[in-house]
């Protein structure tokens, strides 16, 4: 899923999202695009991730905050026209035993490649997430969907969008 790319371009990202929508591929209930993000959801995103400047447009967001169980599923990404905001679980064997989530803000100008990696390798049988890989480095686990199992449609959609950025 990862190829060379010269900085994530918001115009190219918008085009990739529009192409995906037009393709008719199955749409995940856990993936939101600009027109699906109302003021209430934006407020929740800012509370959970970080304040987002008003001049930034949210292009995509994963895992609506209100659907989680005690915050357990609250890992995900929010990509604006300027930065990637994320809340991630550490990618370690013992990650399933903690509820520690790290917050990161990465300007799009610092992102050369982005992809979804392997399923977690955490202790136990519960699903923690898939690796989020930025510039060839695993930055943490992102939960794909808000149910007990991962959301294959969400993985396919994000993979298609991220691959389009690399063309």
């Amino acid at each position: 899923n990862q190829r060379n790319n010269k900085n994530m371009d918001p115009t190219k990202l918008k085009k990739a999202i529009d192409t995906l929508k037009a393709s008719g591929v199955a749409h995940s209930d856990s993936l939101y695009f600009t027109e699906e993000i109302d003021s209430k959801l934006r407020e929740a995103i800012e509370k959970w991730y970080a304040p987002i400047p008003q001049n930034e447009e949210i292009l995509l967001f994963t895992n609506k905050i209100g659907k989680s169980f005690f915050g357990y599923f609250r890992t995900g990404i929010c990509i604006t026209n300027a930065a990637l905001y994320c809340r991630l679980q550490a990618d370690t064997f013992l990650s399933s035993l903690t509820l520690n989530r790290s917050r990161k803000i990465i300007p799009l100008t610092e992102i050369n490649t982005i992809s979804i990696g392997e399923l977690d390798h955490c202790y136990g049988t519960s699903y923690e997430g898939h690796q989020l890989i930025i510039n060839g480095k695993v930055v943490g686990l992102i939960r794909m969907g808000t149910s007990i199992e991962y959301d294959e449609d969400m993985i396919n959609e994000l993979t298609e969008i991220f691959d389009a950025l690399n063309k």
Side-chain angles (χ1 to χ4, degrees), residues 44-62:
I45 292 168
E46 290 184 4
K47 181 179 178 184
W48 193 248
Y49 291 91
I52 298 171
Q54 286 301 313
N55 64 338
E56 287 186 34
E57 177 185 15
I58 297 174
L59 304 177
L60 73 80
F61 172 67
T62 64

Side-chain angles (χ1 to χ4, degrees), residues 1 115-119 130-133 144 155:
N1 294 351
S115 64
I116 303 302
E118 299 297 319
L119 187 68
H130 278 74
Q131 295 171 331
L132 179 64
I133 303 170
M144 294 292 171
I155 294 168

Side-chain angles (χ1 to χ4, degrees), residues 145-161:
T146 55
S147 67
I148 294 173
E149 296 179 355
Y150 57 85
D151 182 338
E152 193 70 41
D153 290 340
M154 186 171 149
I155 294 168
N156 292 338
E157 286 180 280
L158 287 176
T159 297
E160 196 165 320
I161 291 167

Side-chain angles (χ1 to χ4, degrees), residues 132-145:
L132 179 64
I133 303 170
I134 297 177
N135 299 335
K137 180 182 175 195
V138 175
V139 294
L141 298 174
I142 172 179
R143 193 167 184 89
M144 294 292 171

Side-chain angles (χ1 to χ4, degrees), residues 15-25 31 33 157 160-161:
K15 184 178 178 186
I17 290 169
D18 289 343
T19 301
L20 174 77
K21 288 183 206 173
S23 73
V25 82
L31 185 60
F33 299 116
E157 286 180 280
E160 196 165 320
I161 291 167

